[in-house]
Amino acid sequence: MTTFDDKPKDECGVVAVFAPEQHAAKLAFYSLQSIQHRGQESAGLAASDGQHLLVHKDMGLVARVFDESSLAALEGHLSIGHVRYSTAGSSIWANAQPAFTETASGTPLVLAHNGNLTNTGELRELIGDPQESDKCTSDSLLLTTLLKTRHNGSTLDTLVEVLPLVTGAFSLTLADNQAIYAARDPHGVRPLMLGRLPDGGWVLASETCGLDIVGAIVVREIEPGEAIRIDEQGIESRRFAEPTPKFCAFEYVYIARPDHQTAETSVYRARFEMGKMLAEQYPVNADVVIGVPDSGAAAASGYAFASGIPYAEALQKNRYVGRTFIQPTQALRQLGIRMKLNPIHDMIDGKRLVVVDDSIVRGNTSRQLMDMLRRAGAKEIHLLVSSPPVKWPCFYGIDMASRAELIAADMTTAQMAEYLGADSVGYLSVEGLIKSTGRAAKSLCVACFTGEYPIAVEDSQMLAGRPEPIRQP
Ligand code: SF4
């Protein structure tokens, strides 16, 4: 993968399908492909026909990992899947998911996890056997091992017993030979949606696009603190903790696809509202509004709508760069952002620009972008950001950077404008971001903007400024 992209990255996406008399893995494949944006380092599917539970996973994109024959081998009416970008644990095959284990009584179990666990030290102690926990090279494998060691014959009962011991962010899909399962941490930090298939059966996916693609009707979110089991009899729902929702505000800003629909709003509408609010909070005299593809586009449209300044798609994305395993040469890598974006000169030359981006993390990309726009003839550049300054790292599953690397952690907007090469830099307020989501402030996590972490993080992780760097095998 290219290495010059300094946007935040989500750790993972998960899916699950229970589809009697259908090839569930094929449905899960399409569902997984539609949430590919949540992780591009590895992909995997597991499936069971009620007798045998098979897993196929590898490094790379979904379309590269699976072909007709590997999918055909994953027979059965139930399946779960996972795409991964690593934040805790390194980018190695052993950390690709679904993770497989077998309980003492011989029950095979697979698990797919989106999020980041914040009490991994405690989980190691709960596992008890250092030899077992030392084999775990990611937080997800620690949870799988804990479920294996505590398995009491019923996977749902085991989840209800074990999950209260786990702290952090987790949206999970699991399967054994009998059923699929799903669970979401009590704060519901990461999304997890449930849908009904047209021919009967059920599908779960991190985002609604994973349901839409297989023709499923959105039923509801898995509730924070809820664990469910799905089999021929239908859904059995159990609560393992009281819900205290703290949904990740960054899912609205950047991570989720614009067509993901939450109970309150679509992600597109939230981004459009962010842009409208940014226009109120940061009015500028300009000739044209442009959005940084892809996630800046909706907010730029909102800014243009509210300000009356014309909107133009003046940055063309090179869509297939970064979707290949041909590594760019050093000389090409130095071209940086040019590998991904190309300016449309006559939309920029001699113009005063409002450039709307969703976030600035380390600032490398923004700096290159400002330089590219100046070379294309921009007269003025006002870089407006449709989220508040990211000043704190995330411990709940988004790879931001450590605090020392975050450009907004200790620069004023004036210093930032000078450093990046913009005429001015403006950010949306935390209140504006919250309002644009249509959610109550108390139901959102905004910790990377405020430093107020809603879920306890072990000291070792907090001091490192990152999720626990899980040991190498
Ligand atoms: S810290 Fe930021 S990125 Fe992490 S869960 Fe909270 S809002 Fe999302």
Side-chain angles (χ1 to χ4, degrees), residues 190-440:
R190 300 280 148 237
L192 189 54
M193 307 300 300
L194 173 68
R196 190 82 165 113
L197 287 162
D199 301 335
W202 301 90
V203 55
L204 291 137
S206 295
E207 297 179 26
T208 51
C209 57
L211 310 184
D212 298 339
I213 196 166
V214 290
I217 293 163
V218 178
V219 176
R220 63 177 176 89
E221 291 186 12
I222 300 303
E223 297 287 324
E226 180 186 18
I228 64 165
R229 176 185 203 271
I230 300 179
D231 64 10
E232 290 85 356
Q233 313 303 318
I235 298 180
E236 182 182 352
S237 167
R238 302 266 291 276
R239 185 159 289 295
F240 65 86
E242 280 309 306
T244 47
K246 292 286 176 191
F247 187 69
C248 169
F250 222 85
E251 291 275 352
Y252 288 106
V253 171
Y254 175 75
I255 302 298
R257 244 170 61 161
D259 51 346
H260 175 53
Q261 184 75 43
T262 65
E264 296 76 17
T265 179
S266 66
V267 167
Y268 183 89
R269 161 115 356 235
R271 288 181 190 164
F272 191 82
E273 292 299 321
M274 287 171 210
K276 278 169 63 183
M277 238 166 277
L278 194 55
E280 271 172 38
Q281 294 181 359
Y282 206 91
V284 173
N285 280 328
D287 303 310
V288 67
V289 179
I290 67 177
V292 181
D294 288 316
S295 42
S301 303
Y303 192 99
F305 179 83
S307 65
I309 303 169
Y311 170 76
E313 288 179 17
L315 289 167
Q316 177 61 42
K317 191 169 178 184
N318 298 323
R319 293 206 177 274
Y320 302 100
V321 173
R323 292 182 180 273
T324 162
F325 278 79
I326 302 164
Q327 293 289 331
T329 62
Q330 184 57 25
L332 279 176
R333 204 175 285 127
Q334 278 167 0
L335 288 174
I337 197 169
R338 280 190 178 274
M339 292 277 289
K340 285 210 160 172
L341 295 176
N342 206 26
I344 299 171
H345 285 245
D346 64 0
M347 298 306 296
I348 292 167
D349 195 11
K351 305 260 181 18
R352 298 170 300 166
L353 307 179
V354 164
V355 177
V356 180
D357 204 351
D358 55 80
S359 55
I360 303 179
V361 179
R362 294 178 183 85
N364 308 341
T365 311
S366 311
R367 205 172 172 189
Q368 291 173 20
L369 178 64
M370 297 302 103
D371 181 56
M372 189 168 79
L373 293 169
R374 293 277 182 213
R375 285 169 191 265
K379 201 161 103 189
E380 285 177 27
I381 310 173
H382 303 278
L383 177 60
L384 304 188
V385 186
S386 57
S387 63
V390 175
K391 296 186 175 184
W392 303 88
C394 174
F395 297 94
Y396 312 137
I398 305 293
D399 182 22
M400 298 268 185
S402 66
R403 186 158 157 79
E405 296 167 295
L406 294 168
I407 183 175
D410 50 24
M411 272 196 202
T412 64
T413 49
Q415 287 168 330
M416 225 183 281
E418 193 180 339
Y419 174 75
L420 298 175
D423 291 276
S424 72
V425 170
Y427 282 95
L428 183 64
S429 65
V430 174
E431 297 70 29
L433 169 65
I434 292 168
K435 203 169 162 201
S436 69
T437 68
R439 295 179 79 118

Side-chain angles (χ1 to χ4, degrees), residues 114-131:
N114 175 204
N116 232 98
L117 306 183
T118 57
N119 68 334
T120 45
E122 226 175 302
L123 297 181
R124 283 181 195 285
E125 280 172 28
L126 286 169
I127 289 169
D129 179 349
Q131 274 188 332

Side-chain angles (χ1 to χ4, degrees), residues 93-108:
W93 185 89
N95 287 341
Q97 294 181 31
F100 177 88
T101 192
E102 200 170 69
T103 69
S105 62
T107 302

Side-chain angles (χ1 to χ4, degrees), residues 36-72:
Q36 181 77 83
H37 56 283
R38 298 186 72 87
Q40 291 110 42
E41 287 187 357
S42 66
L45 286 167
S48 172
D49 57 4
Q51 301 294 320
H52 306 287
L53 207 163
L54 293 180
V55 182
H56 180 91
K57 58 184 181 177
D58 208 343
M59 307 304 290
L61 301 175
V62 178
R64 180 182 174 272
V65 170
F66 295 97
D67 58 19
E68 277 291 336
S69 67
S70 55
L71 267 181

